[in-house]
Structure formats: structure tokens, C-alpha cells
């Protein structure tokens, strides 16, 4: 799960996940991503919305890392 206020941030994150070898983002529902990974290595860093890619996309769109769905002011 990755709570973000900006819908384009969710779409971008799903696209980045899909571009990662061995993974595909299947669905997004209220910040919960359904991701298919071919192996455990591909799934590393995707759980609980704490992976580096997820943090970078949040920062790119100005989403605060410490607050649930909040923006950096």
C-alpha cells in the first residue's frame, strides 16, 4: 500500500514497477497495488510501500514520506 494524493503519482509508480524486470503492476485500488513478481528477488522492496522506488516517486510528486497521503509543505 502506498497512500498518495496525486493520481498521476500512482500511475507513474505502477509504470515504474512494470518496467522493473520480473514484475508487473496488475491493479491499484485505494493505494493498494496488486503486483505479480516472478521471484522473491523481484518482489524485494515492494512490500508495505517502503521500497526505494516507491519513496522516490512519492518525493518526485511532492508527497510527504512521513504522513499518510500528505504533501510536503
Amino acid at each position: 500500500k502506498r497512500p498518495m494524493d496525486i493520481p498521476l503519482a500512482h500511475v507513474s509508480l505502477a509504470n515504474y514497477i512494470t518496467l522493473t524486470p520480473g514484475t508487473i503492476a496488475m491493479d491499484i485500488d485505494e493505494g493498494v497495488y496488486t503486483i505479480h513478481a516472478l521471484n522473491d528477488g523481484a518482489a524485494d522492496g515492494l512490500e508495505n510501500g517502503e521500497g526505494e522506488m516507491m519513496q522516490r516517486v512519492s518525493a518526485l510528486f511532492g508527497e510527504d514520506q512521513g504522513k499518510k497521503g500528505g504533501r510536503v509543505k
Side-chain angles (χ1 to χ4, degrees):
K1 180 170 183 154
R2 187 70 192 181
M4 294 185 284
D5 292 332
I6 303 170
L8 184 57
H10 286 288
V11 172
S12 296
L13 179 56
N15 282 334
Y16 294 138
I17 291 169
T18 298
L19 289 172
T20 303
T23 61
I24 186 167
M26 304 294 289
D27 188 30
I28 308 168
D29 185 23
E30 296 185 23
V32 177
Y33 293 73
T34 302
I35 301 167
H36 177 75
L38 293 177
N39 56 44
D40 290 337
D44 288 346
L46 294 174
E47 292 186 42
N48 301 320
E50 300 300 325
E52 181 181 353
M53 183 185 319
M54 296 181 187
Q55 292 175 3
R56 287 179 183 237
V57 170
S58 291
L60 178 69
F61 285 92
E63 298 281 349
D64 186 2
Q65 306 288 320
K67 294 182 182 176
K68 191 173 184 177
R71 291 189 184 167
V72 175
K73 294 182 181 177

